[in-house]
Amino acid sequence: MKVAKNSSSVTNLQQWVLVVFRIIIGWHFLYEGIVKLLDPEWSAESFLINSRSFLSGFFQWIVANPAILKVVNLLNVYGLILIGLGLFFGFMARIAVYSGILLLLFYYVAYPPFQGLNFGFPQEGQYLVVNKTFIELTALVVLSFFPGTLNI
């Protein structure tokens, strides 16, 4: 089998496709953060209180402490916005990628798509083990392996 000369390097087209991929994910984070920021009634409370994961006790403890819940709300909203800006514009994108991975990991752990932990039949985007959160988390992990796409 013949191997291409530069099989280990990324072509310019591949790099730009990954950059566009990063920008799209950044837009999603930014949009989610802005929607939460503009909604005066938004809180992570219902998301946390309904968690069915092995960390549900921890999430319910956060809800039971109004000051901590307020901090979590602020971290969530401004974290989404800052991660989104970093990914969208490529400013401090490496930090944004790793922060996004961490945030999505918290979301995934709060609502793992495992049998018996859901609220009935699978809904669109909520499947066994692999859900939308897991896919976006995996996409950020993939981007983290291409540092050239984080500097453009």
Side-chain angles (χ1 to χ4, degrees):
M1 180 166 92
K2 186 176 179 181
V3 178
K5 275 186 175 182
N6 294 324
S7 63
S8 64
S9 64
V10 178
T11 68
N12 283 340
L13 177 61
Q14 290 169 327
Q15 186 163 347
W16 280 107
V17 167
L18 289 169
V19 168
V20 169
F21 191 46
R22 184 201 75 210
I23 290 169
I24 290 168
I25 295 170
W27 171 257
H28 180 235
F29 272 83
L30 182 59
Y31 178 82
E32 289 291 331
I34 290 172
V35 165
K36 288 170 179 50
L37 179 67
L38 296 178
D39 181 358
E41 301 298 316
W42 182 85
S43 174
E45 180 178 0
S46 62
F47 180 83
L48 295 171
I49 200 78
N50 290 311
S51 172
R52 301 283 186 258
S53 78
F54 68 96
L55 290 177
S56 61
F58 173 69
F59 296 133
Q60 291 166 4
W61 173 80
I62 291 172
V63 171
N65 295 281
I68 294 172
L69 179 60
K70 186 175 182 177
V71 170
V72 167
N73 286 339
L74 289 172
L75 286 173
N76 196 28
V77 169
Y78 290 103
L80 285 166
I81 291 171
L82 291 173
I83 292 166
L85 288 171
L87 293 172
F88 190 85
F89 291 110
F91 177 72
M92 298 178 64
R94 185 176 309 281
I95 293 170
V97 163
Y98 293 124
S99 299
I101 290 169
L102 182 64
L103 184 60
L104 290 170
L105 191 58
F106 278 123
Y107 291 170
Y108 186 80
V109 168
Y111 285 88
F114 303 135
Q115 191 84 18
L117 295 179
N118 55 19
F119 296 104
F121 293 105
Q123 300 173 7
E124 191 273 322
Q126 293 294 332
Y127 308 105
L128 186 61
V129 180
V130 177
N131 62 10
K132 289 179 177 181
T133 303
F134 185 79
I135 292 169
E136 193 165 37
L137 188 153
T138 303
L140 289 179
V141 169
V142 168
L143 285 175
S144 74
F145 281 92
F146 295 93
T149 63
L150 302 178
N151 301 326
I152 297 174

